[in-house]
Amino acid sequence: MSEASLNEPETVRELADIPAVEVISRAAVMLMSSAAEKLGLADEDPDSSPRRDLDEARRVITALAGLITASVEYLGPHAGPLREGLQSLQRAFRESSAHPDEPGKGPGEKYTGPVC
């Protein structure tokens, strides 16, 4: 039996012990980090970032918006900062786009409403 398979039951137990709000928050932070990378925000000049991929950023931001919107009632004090982070990413996407979407048509805006 491999070492990895020996640790699997331990990993499952650990996940079972993590409160849902923490799992949701961790997923949201991972999506935020991915969106920021795909927007090129981790680089000195986002406009020339080799990692910039607005199609991918749109998908990740939309997934983040869906997660936060669907989970807001469970997030308690985490809801505000997560919503603010999402809105910042939505605005950064709009600013990065050569042809910005109409209000309400940007990534995740079908869940959050227009972000200006």
Side-chain angles (χ1 to χ4, degrees):
M1 196 176 264
S2 73
E3 186 177 320
S5 62
L6 289 174
N7 290 330
E8 278 183 44
E10 188 175 309
T11 302
V12 172
R13 278 195 306 270
E14 288 175 13
L15 284 174
D17 294 336
I18 299 172
V21 67
E22 189 173 335
V23 173
I24 295 166
S25 296
R26 285 183 186 185
V29 168
M30 179 181 284
L31 290 168
M32 286 179 165
S33 297
S34 175
E37 288 284 339
K38 292 176 186 316
L39 288 169
L41 299 177
D43 294 319
E44 235 177 88
D45 181 13
D47 292 331
S48 64
S49 171
R51 289 183 284 265
R52 180 179 249 180
D53 185 334
L54 295 182
D55 288 336
E56 287 285 300
R58 177 184 294 278
R59 293 176 182 130
V60 176
I61 293 169
T62 299
L64 175 63
L67 175 64
I68 291 173
T69 301
S71 305
V72 73
E73 67 183 288
Y74 309 116
L75 294 173
H78 302 280
L82 290 173
R83 279 183 170 166
E84 290 170 14
L86 169 60
Q87 289 172 352
S88 293
L89 291 166
Q90 288 172 310
R91 281 192 293 276
F93 183 93
R94 184 174 299 283
E95 292 168 8
S96 299
S97 298
H99 304 285
D101 298 310
E102 294 177 31
K105 302 290 185 185
E109 290 183 352
K110 68 181 177 182
Y111 301 114
T112 64
V115 175
C116 299

